[in-house]
Amino acid sequence: MADWLAALARRADLRAKAGLTRRLSPRTADDAVVDLAGNDYLGLSAHPEVVAAAAKALSEYGLGATGSRLVRGSTGAHHALEETLADWLGVDRSLVFSSGYLANLGAVRALVRPRTLLVSDAHNHASLIDGCRISGAETVVTPHADVDAVATALAAAPDRPAVVVTESVFSVDGDLAPLARLHATARVHGAVLLVDDAHALGVVGPTGAGAVAAAGLTGEPDVVVTATLSKALGGAGGVVAGPAEFVRHLVETARTFIYDTALPPAVAAGVHAAVGLARDGDGLRAELAARAALAVDRLRAAGLDVSAPDAAVVSVTAPGPEAATDWAAACRETGVAVGCFRPPSTPDSRSRLRLTIGAGPSRADFERALEVIVECAP
């Protein structure tokens, strides 16, 4: 075996010994498990209106966008989605990317000017971390949700442009960032606040417009919002939303927008339909909140260490990476899919199951899934 392949094999062996092996597990279209691992919070991915809108666009445009947005990839479906997202989020403009990951990379890089300081929460998603790294800007990582630490970092660089970078609902434990306090702190120091609203869009806030809206920050000129379109909206892609001048800057400079093939028009059309359903989905959001509270009550009553969710993500601590893997596998064998998060995917080196509460399964199936999680606990 070539030396470089042997080195990779040794590294894989070390990961296996640490319980960190990852495997692809394909599912079928008729998979009957109760899904507490995916991010289809509102159950819209297979909604008849969403599927019909996507199918119509598929028949009109074909499978792919055929090019980047600035060449041949922009269609009426993309522009209609961007206008609707901007209206929903209460901003000047929005711009759709082919993934939430690329949206975050593009947004962070576009906010960086010479001497910019990035102040990033320790629990931020990998896409935000990579955006900070790729930007080349100095980055200060502050303790999780610590507004005082953010203020200290900003005060230490009074003459430099700065950006405070955070998720709203954090993807691992599901807790909510103190957005109003972060914004007030950023404004005092003349900094921009960048919020990844991926796990809040469609789930919290007035008409499901996200945690930024819930914090009363809609349309603020020093706030930029990013989100995926693959969670509560059940599709794919990402969005950056904010002041018109910033979105124009993205169109003209963001490499992850300019040099990437556009989101397929059928997906854009399906997501557009999903936005309409999400905006009118107060009943679904109430059901999500009730289910999240029920999950915490049932799992804590069984003696498990469970996070208190601010949206629809519930984190359950496991004794270690191997125990987490075995626990998730046992649940899967009993018909329940749960997320399994282990280092390095966790910001605190703690392994856990991550439950993403959805409105799709019946209440009876959901309650049975909670019983399975307790029964399979190590």
Side-chain angles (χ1 to χ4, degrees), residues 144-145 167-170 174-179 197 200 204 211-212 214 308-311:
H144 178 51
E167 292 183 65
S168 57
V169 174
F170 286 88
D175 56 318
L176 181 64
L179 294 181
D197 224 7
V204 300
V212 171
D310 289 306

Side-chain angles (χ1 to χ4, degrees), residues 34-59:
V34 180
D35 186 6
L36 299 185
N39 296 311
D40 188 15
Y41 292 123
L42 302 180
L44 298 181
S45 65
H47 191 284
E49 293 182 28
V50 173
V51 173
K56 183 175 183 293
L58 183 64
S59 67

Side-chain angles (χ1 to χ4, degrees), residues 47-364:
H47 191 284
E49 293 182 28
V50 173
V51 173
K56 183 175 183 293
L58 183 64
S59 67
E60 293 172 345
Y61 289 105
L63 180 61
T66 76
S68 66
R69 290 289 305 276
L70 291 173
V71 180
R72 288 282 292 167
S74 284
T75 68
H78 294 89
H79 286 264
L81 174 59
E82 287 167 343
E83 290 177 3
T84 297
L85 285 169
D87 179 69
W88 189 24
L89 298 176
V91 297
D92 293 341
R93 286 185 64 184
S94 77
L95 189 68
V96 167
F97 288 67
S98 63
S99 76
Y101 208 107
L102 293 181
N104 274 344
L105 295 185
V108 174
R109 180 65 187 88
L111 286 167
V112 168
R113 295 178 280 157
R115 301 179 62 247
T116 293
L117 175 70
L118 299 175
V119 181
S120 178
D121 189 284
H123 284 199
N124 275 342
H125 188 265
S127 57
L128 293 174
I129 295 170
D130 287 351
C132 293
R133 291 172 176 169
I134 290 171
S135 75
E138 180 185 353
T139 302
V140 173
V141 178
T142 52
H144 178 51
D146 189 334
V147 179
D148 290 339
V150 170
T152 298
L154 294 173
D159 299 321
R160 296 170 60 182
V163 182
V164 177
V165 182
T166 186
E167 292 183 65
S168 57
V169 174
F170 286 88
S171 56
V172 175
D173 280 334
D175 56 318
L176 181 64
L179 294 181
R181 293 175 58 212
L182 284 173
H183 177 252
T185 299
R187 178 163 285 183
V188 165
H189 295 278
V192 174
L193 177 63
L194 172 63
V195 182
D196 179 351
D197 224 7
H199 286 276
L201 187 64
V203 177
V204 300
T207 71
V212 171
L217 303 180
T218 299
E220 291 290 347
D222 49 0
V223 174
V224 171
V225 180
T226 68
T228 64
L229 308 175
S230 58
K231 294 182 170 49
L233 298 177
V239 63
V240 181
E245 296 84 356
F246 180 66
V247 173
R248 176 182 176 180
H249 181 66
L250 286 170
V251 171
E252 296 179 354
T253 68
R255 296 171 68 86
T256 55
F257 177 81
I258 296 170
Y259 300 107
D260 185 50
T261 297
L263 189 73
V267 176
V271 171
H272 192 189
V275 171
L277 294 166
R279 293 180 81 162
D280 293 332
D282 286 346
L284 292 174
R285 281 182 282 277
E287 177 65 14
L288 279 184
R291 291 187 182 196
L294 177 63
V296 170
D297 289 345
R298 294 278 178 90
L299 298 178
R300 283 182 176 170
L304 299 175
D305 181 9
V306 184
S307 66
D310 289 306
V313 175
V314 175
S315 171
V316 189
T317 300
E322 290 187 4
T325 302
D326 292 344
W327 192 357
C331 290
R332 180 64 181 82
E333 291 170 2
T334 317
V336 177
V338 296
C340 178
F341 278 39
R342 300 161 291 162
S345 296
T346 57
D348 54 8
S349 299
R350 184 163 54 93
S351 297
R352 70 260 278 169
L353 299 188
R354 190 188 74 169
L355 315 181
T356 46
I357 310 301
S362 70
R363 176 61 81 99

